Amino acid sequence: MRQQLIISAIFFTLAVTAAQAEPPHLKDRQTGKYLGNLSANPYDPNSTSNPYGRYGSEYSEDSINNPYGRYGSPYSSDSPNNPYATNPPAIYDTGGNGQ
């Protein structure tokens, strides 16, 4: 019984920690400018998937979804949508480690 209680407590702690973890985020590699969370949550105000948010709107200058903007254009050297980009945004985890 005691062992089950300990296992349940460990599982609960891990589940709560995982639920509170922040999604990875994008930054401009050269300037360090924050470009939003890489999240599928359309309600997160900082998500690249929020069509009405600063980082997800197709009209925002800071969005990777703006086909005419610096970070969304298929022709911009700062866009992940350009396969030849020289400075696409970097993905960072919550600890600030870039990928």
Side-chain angles (χ1 to χ4, degrees), residues 1 9-10 23-24 29-30 32 35 46 48 51 57 61 63-64 69 73 77-80 83 86 88:
M1 177 75 166
I10 291 171
R29 292 173 192 263
Q30 292 178 343
L35 298 172
N46 294 323
T48 57
S57 169
E61 68 181 48
S63 174
I64 62 170
S73 168
S77 63
D78 296 323
S79 173
T86 56

Side-chain angles (χ1 to χ4, degrees), residues 2 16 20 22 26 28 34 37 39 41 46 60 63-64 66 68-70 77 86-88 93 95:
R2 186 168 194 263
V16 168
Q20 293 176 347
E22 293 182 31
L26 294 175
D28 183 306
Y34 175 79
N37 293 334
S39 164
N41 182 353
N46 294 323
S60 172
S63 174
I64 62 170
N66 179 347
Y68 304 105
R70 175 179 179 182
S77 63
T86 56
N87 183 46
D93 64 16

Side-chain angles (χ1 to χ4, degrees), residues 39-83:
S39 164
N41 182 353
Y43 304 106
D44 176 356
N46 294 323
S47 174
T48 57
S49 296
N50 181 341
Y52 305 106
R54 176 178 178 179
Y55 305 108
S57 169
E58 65 181 307
Y59 305 107
S60 172
E61 68 181 48
D62 295 328
S63 174
I64 62 170
N65 299 319
N66 179 347
Y68 304 105
R70 175 179 179 182
Y71 299 108
S73 168
Y75 308 105
S76 171
S77 63
D78 296 323
S79 173
N81 301 318
N82 177 355

